[in-house]
Amino acid sequence: MIIDANVHITAHGGWFNTPHDASLTRLRACIEEAGIDAAIAVPLPGTIGNSEQQQLISGEKRIIHACTFNPAAHSTVEEAVRAYQLEFGDGHKRFVKFHNRFGKYHPNDERFFAVMKANDQLEVPMVVGVCGLIHDRHTAEAVDPTTYFFNLAQSLTRTTLLIMHGGGTRILQMAEFCRDLHHVYFDLSMTLSKYKQTSVAGDIRWLCHHYDRRMIWASDFPEVSIRQALIDFDEVVGPIAQEKRDNILGGNIVKLLDIALS
């Protein structure tokens, strides 16, 4: 089973100020073209809301709905925690992504950490994805990504953490820091394709051969086509045991999210 663990769509098909086609129609076509079993649609702040996306893909058997949450949409810690508990406390949803750059909050925002604590205390904690690219031109004060994610992971006792994009060019350092934290996983979307002609490709190849149970393949559609992301995986990783390939291309995310496809 092959599952693209990180794709994005919008209701109107536009993708910021780019020519990328983020429409449901194109995603369907790309899933078919790549010959994969399913893709997980992950909304981002400012692109599409949770309920809007869920309604858009209703009836789509090969597109799995994930969620997002923006703690900065709430004025206080208490409001953010209450809103999170209300939306995700029923145990019916499985995966939620946090994106501080799109949500316009600092990585160390107290509302974010409070929501992480609240997730850890849910009867059924959500699997949490956090964008591993935590800086942009609006970041007032930089933080060290490897230390940041290690400390975040250490603060979680019941939550599975997926570092999206693997932390970018820091992916090997991230994995080394978190090697003994077995609730931490690494998403390869964007980083695998963007840096395939750099030394980062060697880091990813080594990780896939040695940390295959912690690596999760994805494309970051619409910015990378699903078929191209599969080609990039094979070119970067090279010959690999079938069991390890199966883990990375779908097995790991199936287990994490308890995905059942008919």
Side-chain angles (χ1 to χ4, degrees), residues 143-154 161 163 166 170-186 206-207 211 214-215:
V143 299
D144 176 70
T146 50
T147 302
Y148 177 82
F149 279 102
F150 177 82
N151 291 342
L152 176 61
Q154 284 283 54
L161 174 64
I163 301 176
R170 299 287 193 99
I171 187 168
L172 182 59
Q173 290 177 313
M174 295 277 196
E176 178 64 16
F177 263 55
C178 298
R179 66 188 182 279
D180 294 328
L181 306 179
H182 295 285
H183 60 298
V184 179
Y185 291 76
F186 303 88
W206 189 90
L207 287 169
Y211 280 42
R214 308 270 291 279
M215 300 290 128

Side-chain angles (χ1 to χ4, degrees), residues 200-212:
V200 178
D203 296 339
I204 292 173
R205 181 169 57 251
W206 189 90
L207 287 169
C208 287
H209 282 266
H210 295 86
Y211 280 42
D212 61 284

Side-chain angles (χ1 to χ4, degrees), residues 10-12 47-58 65:
T10 61
H12 49 76
T47 64
I48 192 170
N50 292 337
S51 58
E52 185 183 11
Q53 177 180 275
Q54 190 168 27
Q55 183 176 3
L56 181 65
I57 65 174
S58 176
H65 174 62

